[in-house]
Amino acid sequence: AQSVTQLGSHVSVSEGALVLLRCNYSSSVPPYLFWYVQYPNQGLQLLLKYTSAATLVKGINGFEAEFKKSETSFHLTKPSAHMSDAAEYFCAVRRVAASGTYKYIFGTGTRLKVLA
Amino acid sequence: SQTIHQWPATLVQPVGSPLSLECTVEGTSNPNLYWYRQAAGRGLQLLFYSVGIGQISSEVPQNLSASRPQDRQFILSSKKLLLSDSGFYLCAWSNVRSGYTFGSGTRLTVV
């Protein structure tokens, strides 16, 4: 069954520094992978998704992620952190049930703190 | 355009009281609907999903139940809340074209 693991529950970066949030996946079939962002007391907002097309995926707010099959990774990056990037980030993989319904399995999340 | 409504935004309930959280979707038909719970430090856990009216699949055994009385309405319930039911509850919908869209969540505190 598909799953994702996020390394590091908390990450701190300085404003203007590179943001790197790590996600590794496990899947016996070509995965569909997603990154979501959650601001305090809000729902989740889709940042970007990988659906087996280009391996480098660009999302909103300057974020991008690269699918690396050899490393089973889908790390999220942003060249220069902004204070407004402080939030919790979730990696997810789409799992298809026997009925054909699909559901997303989320990682445990990484809280990003941006230091002035 | 499609929208998803979830209410209330916050709720404080005593232990042993009942619970009803409602989620409705607009602008689409026959969506797949989901309830997730987010507990502190534990990420997002899928509780229930539904592929149609009256069709509920439970992912984990618990003190909660779900119902789908109408195509675009999904309700999360409990007869008697436990302290461990505290958390942030998120409703989501999806179809083949759109992927997942989340509601704004309900913060439940059981006291």
Side-chain angles (χ1 to χ4, degrees):
Chain A
Q2 294 93 332
S3 65
V4 290
T5 302
Q6 289 184 244
L7 303 176
S9 58
H10 292 80
V11 170
S12 293
V13 300
S14 298
E15 190 175 20
L18 171 71
V19 176
L20 171 61
L21 304 182
R22 300 177 186 275
C23 174
N24 287 89
Y25 70 90
S26 173
S27 178
S28 57
V29 298
Y32 279 25
L33 296 162
F34 308 81
W35 275 101
Y36 282 82
V37 61
Q38 183 184 33
Y39 299 100
N41 291 312
Q42 294 186 27
L44 276 70
Q45 180 183 8
L46 180 66
L47 275 177
L48 50 82
K49 59 183 177 182
Y50 168 75
T51 58
S52 74
T55 56
L56 181 62
V57 182
K58 293 187 184 296
I60 62 172
N61 301 340
F63 284 93
E64 62 182 35
E66 186 172 8
F67 175 75
K68 292 187 176 181
K69 185 177 179 180
S70 61
E71 299 177 8
T72 62
S73 68
F74 189 57
H75 301 332
L76 182 71
T77 60
K78 182 175 181 177
S80 177
H82 191 272
M83 298 298 288
S84 60
D85 295 327
E88 189 155 20
Y89 293 80
F90 291 91
C91 181
V93 63
R94 194 179 81 173
R95 180 185 295 176
V96 182
S99 62
T101 305
Y102 58 86
K103 42 191 174 179
Y104 289 15
I105 306 302
F106 288 86
T108 51
T110 298
R111 188 169 298 278
L112 176 66
K113 185 175 182 179
V114 181
L115 307 172
Chain B
S1 64
Q2 303 94 343
T3 57
I4 180 169
H5 302 281
Q6 192 178 339
W7 68 91
T10 60
L11 191 59
V12 180
Q13 291 284 98
V15 169
S17 64
L19 173 73
S20 180
L21 302 181
E22 188 162 344
C23 172
T24 59
V25 180
E26 295 179 359
T28 187
S29 59
N30 198 31
N32 291 338
L33 296 171
Y34 309 82
W35 278 111
Y36 281 85
R37 177 170 59 201
Q38 186 177 18
R42 295 180 61 183
L44 283 156
Q45 181 184 36
L46 179 61
L47 302 177
F48 302 95
Y49 69 93
S50 170
V51 300
I53 296 174
Q55 300 179 60
I56 308 296
S57 297
S58 175
E59 288 292 295
V60 292
Q62 59 204 308
N63 184 44
L64 301 168
S65 61
S67 62
R68 185 169 176 176
Q70 300 180 44
D71 181 46
R72 288 170 285 182
Q73 184 184 30
F74 204 25
I75 298 172
L76 184 69
S77 304
S78 173
K79 292 182 179 178
K80 290 185 178 181
L81 284 169
L82 306 172
L83 286 174
S84 58
D85 292 324
S86 293
F88 192 55
Y89 289 83
L90 287 159
C91 179
W93 76 274
S94 75
N95 59 28
V96 174
R97 292 181 302 277
S98 72
Y100 262 40
T101 300
F102 282 88
S104 54
T106 296
R107 171 77 58 194
L108 172 66
T109 304
V110 183
V111 296

